[in-house]
Each structure stands twice: as C-alpha cells, then as structure tokens.
C-alpha cells in the first residue's frame, strides 16, 4: 500500500512540475505501463481543470461544465478519447483525425460497459486501419464485378482496386465490423481511409485518392445491392 | 521557462514516444478546456478546439524550443485555432462536406445531453468540501492550484519543509477524489 501511495504522491508532484529529470523520466516510464497511474493522472488533472475554471469564471461554472471538465472520474472518457487520438496518430506522420466520435465518447462516459466496448472497438479498428495502410493485398473478399457502381472501373488484375477519373482506391470488405455503428473516415498522407459498417454486418473499407463524399456514395451503392 | 518534467516529456515526444504524448494529453487536456471555455464561452467548442490542438501539437512538436512552459505553448496554439474557428464561415458539420482542406477550422459538434450529468447539489457539495478541507491541506492545495505557487514558495509561506508541502497537496487531492467518488 505504501508503494502505491508513494507513486501517487510522486505523480501529484509530477503534475505540479516539481520532480527532477530523473524522477520525471521514471514517472513517464511508469505511466506507459500502469493504467491505474494514468487514470490517477487523469483524475488529478481534472481537478486542476475544474479549479482553473471554478476560480476564473463562476458565471460559467454550471453543472454542465463541471460534468464536461471532470468527466465522471470513474470512466475516463477524456483519457480514452486521448488514447483514441493517439492510436490514430501513430498510423502515419500526417494522420489527421477528421471526424469526432463524440456520441460514442459521451456514451462511454456514462457506462463502464460502453467504455469497455469502445476500447475494444477502437483498439480493433485501429489494428484494422493499420493493416489496410500497410498491406497491398489483404486476404479479403473481392467485390463482384456486377456490383461495381456505374462509372467505376475494377482492375482485372487486382480486383480490390478501383478507379474513376482522378480517383483511385482500394476496397476491402470483410466479416468483422468491430462493433461500428456509423461511418468513419480519416485523412492519411493526403489519402482517405473510409470505413462503413454494412447492413449485412460486414465492414467495407476504402483507402486511396477519393474524397469522402464519393467514398460514401460508392459504399452506399454497394450496401444497397 | 521550461521546467524539468516538461523537458523530459518534450524530449520523449520529439523522439516519437507516443506514450509520453498520451501522458501529456491526459495531463493538460482538462486545464486546456477550462482555459478555452473562458475564451469561447462554449464547452463543446472548447472540447473540439482542444482535440484539434493536440493534433497540431503532435505535428509541430519539433518546433517547440522551450522558451516558454509547455502548457503556454499548447495554449497559444489553441487560442489561434479558436480565433480561426470564430473567423471561419463553416458552421456545423453534421454531414460530410467538401471543405476538407480546412481541417483547422473548428466545427461545433452537437451537444450531448448524456454528458451533462452533475447536479447542482454536487457542485454545491464540491464547493463546500473545498472549504472544509483541513486548513493545512487546503492552504497548500489552493496556493498551488489557484495561485500557481511552487512548492518552494509554498514551503516559505507555510514555514514548513518542501516535502510536507508535497504531502499536503497530495493528500488534498486524494481527499477531493474520495469525495467525488462518494458523490458519484
């Protein structure tokens, strides 16, 4: 118990910028491996946020803001959102998080089950996106030629590749939809990654040079047929 | 001026350490949002700006020279994004739009009623609890959190060792968290 208390006290001093370099390095190492410590950091920093708001603008210190700043400390949606952001960022140097998943994050704030579910979705989804970016020819089902939307050409040699004028992209359809309920998309090094959970329970992923509206239309067409 | 923990953190992030970046986000996000709310007067916009800010921080971390504290640098980025958001013609972005180049332009996200879940009574209880903390703990804690004093300064003010200051602030935080857990 003393060891835990010591590390939390050290974390508290870290938050205040009162550790030397060696101690700071030690805490950062511990944070990497220790989820309890990360949660504690989240809690401590939430208190700071709350105090910071509370002392400066009491007119705005309503219930809503307390909720948003503090984020119900048992369920670390804020830290988790940060984790999601980080996980997406590590995929590429110019990985830009386009679309916020605030409804999912808000749900997670109110339910541990939802939080675990979200952790599982995003962990698995991140892995999926990483595989898409890294591999040229994943072992997935190819789209039947008859289902290709009008105006698009399917590469006969590499059936997962499609083109339409300036657009060129890969399509992956697979069985696991990772529990996704809505479309998501990201820009990675000026190319788009677009994922859509389909009506038949499968997941369609587009990766390449195409804008989101076109990707959405393409996948919506496939999903209807 | 950059403090020692900031330097360790920055060195690691600049070396590509994503765990260190995550630690930074966890540490600074609540405070950043609280600071932005004073500027934007909107919780949702502040959250969005904070998210965009950390993306930018990751992209620009190599440009940080340590001439200011890390949080000051982060906050400056956030304020610039907030200004862009106010100046932007883009409004809500519920649907996919073509305006994808303008990723730095903030778009408000729909408010989520689920997040508004702390009652007036909780707020009052927290306020009361702060007042009821043991005097030594409260003094050390508020000198640190409210006034930004260093441990050394607090030790001088309270005429006690730095280690005692550290312990008091830690205990205050723990008591506050226990109270929050009780209430929740």
């Amino acid at each position: 118990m003393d060891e835990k208390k010591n590390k939390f006290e050290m974390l508290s001093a870290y938050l205040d910028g009162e550790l030397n370099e060696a101690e700071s390095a030690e805490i950062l190492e511990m944070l990497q491996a220790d989820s309890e410590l990360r949660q504690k950091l989240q809690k401590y920093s939430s208190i700071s946020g709350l105090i910071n708001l509370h002392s400066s603008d009491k007119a705005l210190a309503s219930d809503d803001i307390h909720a948003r700043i503090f984020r119900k400390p048992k369920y670390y949606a804020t830290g988790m959102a940060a984790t999601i952001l980080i996980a997406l960022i590590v995929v590429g140097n110019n990985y830009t998080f386009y679309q916020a998943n605030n409804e999912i994050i808000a749900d997670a704030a109110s339910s541990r089950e939802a939080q675990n579910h979200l952790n599982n979705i995003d962990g698995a989804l991140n892995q999926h996106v990483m595989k898409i970016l890294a591999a040229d020819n994943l072992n997935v089902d190819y789209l039947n030629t008859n289902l290709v939307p009008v105006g698009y050409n399917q590469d006969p040699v590499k059936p997962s590749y499609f083109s339409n004028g300036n657009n060129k992209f890969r399509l992956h359809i697979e069985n696991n939809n990772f529990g996704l309920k809505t479309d998501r998309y990201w820009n990675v090094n000026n190319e788009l990654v677009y994922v859509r959970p389909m009506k038949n329970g499968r997941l369609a992923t587009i990766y390449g040079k195409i804008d989101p509206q076109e990707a959405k239309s393409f996948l919506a067409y496939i999903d209807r047929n | 001026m950059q403090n020692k923990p900031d330097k360790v953190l920055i060195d690691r992030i600049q070396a590509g350490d994503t765990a260190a970046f995550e630690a930074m986000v966890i540490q600074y996000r609540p405070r950043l949002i609280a600071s932005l709310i004073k500027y934007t007067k909107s919780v949702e916009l502040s959250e969005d700006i904070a998210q965009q800010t950390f993306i930018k921080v990751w992209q620009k971390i190599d440009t940080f020279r340590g001439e200011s504290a890390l949080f000051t640098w982060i906050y400056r980025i956030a304020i610039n994004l907030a200004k862009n958001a106010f100046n932007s013609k883009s409004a809500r972005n519920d649907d996919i739009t073509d305006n994808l180049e303008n990723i730095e332009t903030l778009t408000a996200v729909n408010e989520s009623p689920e997040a508004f879940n702390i009652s007036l009574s909780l707020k009052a209880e927290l306020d009361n609890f702060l007042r009821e903390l043991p005097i030594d703990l409260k003094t050390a804690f508020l000198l640190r959190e409210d006034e930004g004093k260093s441990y050394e300064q607090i030790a001088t003010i309270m005429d006690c060792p730095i280690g005692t200051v550290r312990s008091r602030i830690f205990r205050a935080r723990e008591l506050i968290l226990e109270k929050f857990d009780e209430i929740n």
Side-chain angles (χ1 to χ4, degrees):
Chain A
M1 192 63 184
D2 277 345
E3 191 185 325
K4 193 183 265 198
K5 184 186 160 197
N6 286 342
K7 78 177 175 182
F8 289 157
E9 184 174 323
M10 194 172 166
L11 184 70
S12 171
Y14 169 79
L15 185 66
D16 293 333
E18 294 283 343
L19 297 185
N20 61 35
E21 286 196 26
E23 290 169 327
S24 302
E26 186 185 345
I27 274 285
L28 284 173
E29 289 293 335
M30 288 163 63
L31 279 168
Q32 190 166 354
D34 189 338
S35 61
E36 190 185 20
L37 201 63
R38 286 199 297 277
Q39 289 176 1
K40 188 65 85 170
L41 178 62
Q42 163 66 22
K43 286 180 176 180
Y44 287 165
S45 55
S46 294
I47 294 172
S48 294
L50 200 57
I51 298 292
N52 187 258
L53 176 72
H54 184 75
S55 66
S56 63
D57 195 338
K58 291 185 169 50
L60 277 177
S62 67
D63 311 334
D64 304 345
I65 291 176
H66 280 76
R68 285 305 177 101
I69 297 295
F70 205 80
R71 286 279 188 184
K72 257 191 162 181
K74 287 180 191 173
Y75 310 119
Y76 303 103
T78 303
M80 184 168 52
T83 304
I84 293 166
L85 177 62
I86 303 312
L88 293 173
I89 282 175
V90 300
V91 176
N93 290 333
N94 290 310
Y95 202 108
T96 306
F97 189 62
Y98 265 148
Q99 189 176 20
N101 297 292
N102 288 289
E103 71 279 11
I104 299 174
I105 292 170
D107 282 340
S110 61
S111 154
R112 185 182 290 282
E113 186 184 331
Q115 182 191 16
N116 288 338
H117 186 56
L118 176 60
N119 274 334
N120 292 335
I121 288 177
D122 279 284
L125 184 61
N126 292 333
Q127 293 285 336
H128 168 71
V129 172
M130 287 184 186
K131 281 183 197 168
I132 295 287
L133 295 178
D136 185 34
N137 216 15
L138 292 179
N139 183 24
V140 296
D141 289 346
Y142 297 124
L143 183 66
N144 187 307
T145 306
N146 296 329
L147 297 177
V148 178
V150 173
Y152 289 89
N153 300 312
Q154 185 175 25
D155 188 327
V157 176
K158 290 184 175 181
S160 63
Y161 280 83
F162 296 82
S163 60
N164 170 12
N166 291 330
N167 296 327
K168 188 171 180 183
F169 55 92
R170 275 187 274 145
L171 170 70
H172 297 272
I173 299 175
E174 53 195 277
N175 290 330
N176 190 352
N177 70 9
F178 307 106
L180 269 188
K181 293 177 186 169
T182 59
D183 293 9
R184 295 195 204 180
Y185 61 95
W186 306 269
N187 178 284
V188 183
N189 293 328
N190 295 320
E191 294 190 313
L192 180 77
V193 176
Y194 192 109
V195 293
R196 180 188 181 101
M198 299 172 75
K199 290 186 183 116
N200 59 11
R202 307 177 88 190
L203 184 77
T205 306
I206 277 180
Y207 171 46
K209 290 201 181 302
I210 183 170
D211 70 51
Q213 191 58 56
E214 290 220 47
K216 182 182 180 184
S217 299
F218 184 94
L219 292 175
Y221 180 89
I222 294 170
D223 209 5
R224 278 197 298 272
N225 296 296
Chain B
M1 278 289 274
Q2 194 181 135
N3 65 27
K4 295 186 183 69
D6 273 358
K7 184 180 183 313
V8 175
L9 192 60
I10 291 154
D11 286 346
R12 289 192 173 211
I13 296 172
Q14 286 177 336
D17 185 340
T18 56
F21 182 73
E22 181 183 356
M24 183 200 70
V25 174
I26 292 171
Q27 180 177 351
Y28 287 124
R29 189 179 182 276
R31 189 173 155 200
L32 181 64
I33 290 174
S35 301
L36 282 168
I37 285 170
K38 298 176 218 174
Y39 181 81
T40 67
K41 308 301 181 191
S42 162
V43 178
E44 283 70 32
L45 191 56
S46 299
E47 288 180 322
D48 281 352
I49 293 170
Q51 190 163 17
Q52 293 286 336
T53 299
F54 286 116
I55 293 173
K56 209 139 182 78
V57 164
W58 175 257
Q59 292 173 334
K60 303 279 183 197
I61 194 68
D62 286 339
T63 67
F64 179 67
R65 298 283 171 256
E67 288 156 357
S68 65
L70 179 58
F71 182 76
T72 304
W73 183 68
I74 292 170
Y75 184 65
R76 277 199 214 110
I77 292 173
I79 286 298
N80 284 333
L81 287 171
K83 286 178 184 170
N84 288 343
F86 284 128
N87 292 337
S88 167
K89 291 179 185 174
S90 298
R92 286 180 171 271
N93 187 29
D94 298 325
D95 300 313
I96 295 166
T97 70
D98 292 330
N99 192 19
L100 295 167
E101 299 82 21
N102 211 4
I103 58 170
E104 291 182 5
T105 299
L106 223 305
T107 54
V109 176
N110 288 328
E111 291 197 11
S112 169
E114 291 82 5
F116 296 176
N117 54 13
I118 294 186
S119 65
L120 269 168
S121 63
L122 174 62
K123 176 179 177 301
E125 284 186 65
L126 291 176
D127 288 345
N128 286 337
F129 185 73
L130 280 174
R131 283 193 283 273
E132 288 166 13
L133 275 179
I135 185 71
D136 284 348
L137 304 192
K138 180 171 68 176
T139 303
F141 177 74
L142 291 178
L143 282 172
R144 171 63 218 152
E145 288 286 5
D146 243 357
E147 300 190 27
K149 300 281 186 218
S150 69
Y151 285 12
E152 188 177 353
Q153 289 170 322
I154 298 169
T156 302
I157 293 166
M158 297 184 72
D159 192 24
C160 65
I162 290 177
T164 303
V165 170
R166 169 170 153 157
S167 170
R168 285 174 179 171
I169 292 171
F170 164 64
R171 280 159 53 206
R173 286 183 168 131
E174 287 292 311
L175 286 172
I176 291 168
L177 292 181
E178 274 177 31
K179 184 66 176 177
F180 282 170
D181 279 347
E182 251 177 57
I183 293 166
N184 280 335

